[in-house]
Amino acid sequence: MRSKTVTRTIRPLVKPQSLHVSVLESVKAYIDESGLPPGSQLPPENDLAQQLGVSRNSVREAVKALESVGIVETRRGIGIFVSDFSFAPLLDNLAFGLRGRLDDFEELLTIRRALEGALIGRTVQVIGADDIAELRALTAKMKARVDVGESFLEEDRRFHRTLFRCQNNQLLLKLLDIFWQAFVKASDFINLENRDPVATWRDHHEIVEAVATRDAETARERLDHHYHGISKIIAANKAAS
């Protein structure tokens, strides 16, 4: 009797990760497991290479990769140190990755729109008179720039920071900066010209006045209307492309 042959699919080999990636992960684990705070000095490259059993070039390549994401910094002639946390590497990669990618940029805008809309109610509850006065001063500067045909990007950025700084949430402020700077950097690759600056100024003005009267619903509506205007600019870009 002929035996039956069972055929099964052989699993493909899993490609091992590059050596410098293994070194990178080992250094990250060393920092984490040792509980090293920012500013802590790591062992020299030669010592790391000996401890890991790899070449110094592999360590140097891994260190460069860790520097690019802001985990460590190399001080020439001194050594390798644990970096303080920064959103800068994320920001640079995010803005670069958005070049020409309108769908991704639109998704980023959707996240910011939802974040600010969800948190504006808290601002209405806790914002003080000084912040309201500063917001009004910023919208006045916006209007002055509109009247002479100038852009008011910096006032716009400061407006949103001032609107939410009363919540004492530093992570939120950093996220707002990331969104804003990514928007500005992406404008190098995407045409995001504001075609109706008067309407943009008016949105900001009405947001302030709603906040000043503790009208959370109107503030949320005007904030959403502001982002709807930006969405229209993106839609026009998508149609043109």
Side-chain angles (χ1 to χ4, degrees):
M1 181 177 179
R2 182 177 297 178
S3 61
K4 184 178 180 181
T5 302
V6 179
T7 58
R8 295 181 179 176
T9 302
I10 300 176
R11 294 182 180 179
L13 293 174
V14 178
K15 184 179 179 180
Q17 61 186 5
S18 301
L19 180 59
H20 88 275
V21 175
S22 297
V23 175
L24 181 153
E25 294 299 332
S26 294
V27 174
K28 283 171 60 179
Y30 170 76
I31 294 172
D32 184 42
E33 293 167 5
S34 302
L36 298 180
S40 300
Q41 186 169 6
L42 299 182
E45 287 183 357
N46 280 337
D47 290 359
L48 288 173
Q50 290 178 5
Q51 292 180 43
L52 293 169
V54 298
S55 69
R56 185 174 177 180
N57 282 339
S58 294
V59 171
R60 185 176 293 114
E61 193 173 352
V63 168
K64 287 181 179 178
L66 289 169
E67 279 189 290
S68 71
V69 293
I71 294 177
V72 303
E73 61 174 315
T74 300
R75 301 174 189 171
R76 188 177 297 276
I78 302 178
I80 308 166
F81 296 81
V82 179
S83 294
D84 197 1
F85 176 74
S86 172
F87 276 109
L90 171 62
L91 170 61
D92 291 338
N93 292 328
L94 177 62
F96 183 78
L98 287 172
R99 67 195 191 285
R101 299 172 63 92
L102 286 170
D103 288 338
D104 290 344
F105 188 80
E106 193 170 28
E107 289 176 1
L108 179 67
L109 179 68
T110 298
I111 294 171
R112 179 176 177 179
R113 186 177 185 174
L115 182 64
E116 292 197 23
L119 295 174
I120 189 65
R122 175 63 177 164
T123 284
V124 168
Q125 293 176 357
V126 302
I127 195 168
D130 289 346
D131 282 343
I132 292 174
E134 185 169 339
L135 288 168
R136 283 174 168 156
L138 286 168
T139 56
K141 288 181 181 179
M142 289 181 189
K143 184 60 167 62
R145 290 192 180 278
V146 168
D147 290 343
V148 294
E150 294 179 353
S151 171
F152 49 80
L153 285 175
E154 178 57 24
E155 287 80 11
D156 199 336
R157 183 190 71 83
R158 289 172 56 195
F159 179 93
H160 289 269
R161 279 188 59 89
T162 306
L163 188 62
F164 291 100
R165 72 183 179 190
C166 59
Q167 299 191 27
N168 295 318
N169 186 328
Q170 294 305 309
L171 179 57
L172 170 62
L173 296 181
K174 288 180 180 179
L175 285 172
L176 292 179
D177 274 344
I178 283 181
F179 290 142
W180 177 250
Q181 292 179 48
F183 178 90
V184 173
K185 288 190 176 185
S187 66
D188 292 337
F189 307 104
I190 305 170
N191 179 17
L192 298 174
E193 181 181 358
N194 187 351
R195 299 178 182 179
D196 193 351
V198 175
T200 302
W201 160 76
R202 187 178 297 112
D203 284 337
H204 287 83
H205 170 73
E206 293 181 359
I207 289 167
V208 177
E209 296 313 310
V211 168
T213 58
R214 310 294 173 179
D215 185 346
E217 188 58 35
T218 299
R220 189 175 295 108
E221 288 176 358
R222 299 317 302 173
L223 193 58
D224 191 67
H225 186 269
H226 169 51
Y227 282 110
H228 177 67
I230 302 175
S231 296
K232 288 172 64 178
I233 295 173
I234 296 174
N237 273 267
K238 292 174 73 173
S241 60

